[in-house]
Amino acid sequence: MECQDAVVSFLSWTLIIGGAAYLLRQSYTCTPYGRYAPTTVRCCCCSARLGWFLQEVPAFLLPLLLLLTEEPGTTGDRTGGALLLCTFMLHYFHRSFIYALLTRGRPIPLNIVLFAAIFCSLNGFLQGHHLLHCAQFEDSWLTEARLAAGLLLFVVGMIINIHSDHILCGLRRPGETVYRIPHGGMFEFVSGANFFGEIVEWCGYAVATWSLPTFAFAFFTVSSIGPRAYHHHRDYQQKFEDYPRSRKALIPFIL
């Protein structure tokens, strides 16, 4: 498949503009899922486990399809893009097939699942197509410091993200939907430890790949879950009088 530069550029700028608009929207309202979902409407919701699987799995399957349909003889020329794409797929494999089975969250509105699935589909295609058919890698790309730094950030961020999600899942018994104060790991420093880990993860991915589509995705991630960390921080403070005052919302010691 030839590189579709116009499509890559359009989708990348859509992420940037959409991220900015989403950031503005969340400055005055919370996206209605999880703890902010309306408690009176349940008929248009699906379970958290099914919802997370349906909305996240397109971002794994579409890049996988692009990899499997590579023309014979071209895969070796695109090893760099394929390896970096595998880091993207690793995150969404965990989200779709592991986290979705472990989460004990509240039911998710179907419109949220639909919008998230559309986003993951478009972004999965964008990242896969760009890395496999558009990105150019020099022969020395494996020895570049930027690649090593980016991959290190990605791994550290993913570890923080997974560990933080494990702590959150452990706060509830089966069937519970109550909220408790999380402790341990990065939660000792920020209320949105899982969000902080994911932001670090995708910023590292952007540094490693160094391209408009990946930086656009990192920007959208910051714009979408960054404000949610602040909303969670404020909600914890309002619900729990003994909530640790030293904790920040998203960035340790700063914000």
Side-chain angles (χ1 to χ4, degrees):
M1 182 186 296
E2 293 183 359
C3 174
Q4 303 296 321
D5 286 317
V7 175
V8 169
S9 179
F10 174 78
L11 290 177
S12 297
W13 283 105
T14 298
L15 282 181
I16 294 172
I17 296 171
Y22 197 15
L23 178 63
L24 179 62
R25 179 181 183 273
Q26 290 196 99
S27 66
Y28 57 86
T29 186
C30 306
T31 305
Y33 70 91
R35 69 182 70 193
Y36 311 112
T39 57
T40 56
V41 180
R42 294 297 183 194
C43 60
C44 296
C45 296
C46 65
S47 69
R49 292 181 176 180
L50 178 60
W52 274 104
F53 173 78
L54 292 176
Q55 70 185 32
E56 302 287 309
V57 75
F60 172 77
L61 293 180
L62 277 170
L64 179 62
L65 180 63
L66 290 174
L67 276 172
L68 294 178
T69 55
E70 273 284 86
E71 296 178 6
T74 62
T75 305
D77 300 331
R78 295 165 182 164
T79 303
L83 290 175
L84 289 170
L85 182 59
C86 285
T87 64
F88 177 86
M89 294 170 61
L90 178 63
H91 170 91
Y92 281 102
F93 176 84
H94 174 267
R95 276 295 190 197
S96 304
F97 299 101
I98 300 177
Y99 175 77
L101 293 176
L102 298 176
T103 184
R104 295 172 180 170
R106 294 182 176 181
I108 306 175
L110 289 177
N111 65 316
I112 298 294
V113 174
L114 177 61
F115 291 144
I118 292 173
F119 168 80
C120 285
S121 298
L122 293 175
N123 189 48
F125 170 80
L126 171 63
Q127 304 303 326
H129 178 72
H130 167 73
L131 287 173
L132 293 177
H133 303 121
C134 302
Q136 300 293 326
F137 295 91
E138 302 293 336
D139 293 338
S140 60
W141 74 277
L142 272 174
T143 61
E144 292 181 1
R146 187 183 69 238
L147 174 70
L151 290 179
L152 177 61
L153 281 175
F154 179 87
V155 172
V156 170
M158 189 169 187
I159 290 172
I160 293 173
N161 181 243
I162 293 175
H163 182 247
S164 301
D165 282 337
H166 177 74
I167 291 174
L168 291 175
C169 290
L171 293 176
R172 291 174 176 165
R173 301 180 184 89
E176 285 187 336
T177 57
V178 298
Y179 288 93
R180 299 184 174 91
I181 300 176
H183 292 282
M186 285 300 298
F187 280 113
E188 298 302 318
F189 304 96
V190 293
S191 299
N194 50 331
F195 301 132
F196 171 77
E198 188 164 351
I199 288 173
V200 170
E201 195 176 343
W202 294 128
C203 286
Y205 170 71
V207 170
T209 55
W210 206 257
S211 65
L212 177 62
T214 55
F215 275 102
F217 176 39
F219 174 76
F220 187 92
T221 300
V222 173
S223 300
S224 59
I225 64 177
R228 197 164 180 85
Y230 169 77
H231 293 315
H232 280 15
H233 183 67
R234 184 177 60 184
D235 186 66
Y236 280 129
Q237 290 177 324
Q238 292 173 348
K239 285 182 177 177
F240 303 103
E241 294 183 358
D242 59 339
Y243 193 72
R245 295 185 177 182
S246 60
R247 286 189 196 179
K248 299 298 182 181
L250 181 63
I251 304 176
F253 313 112
I254 299 175
L255 178 64

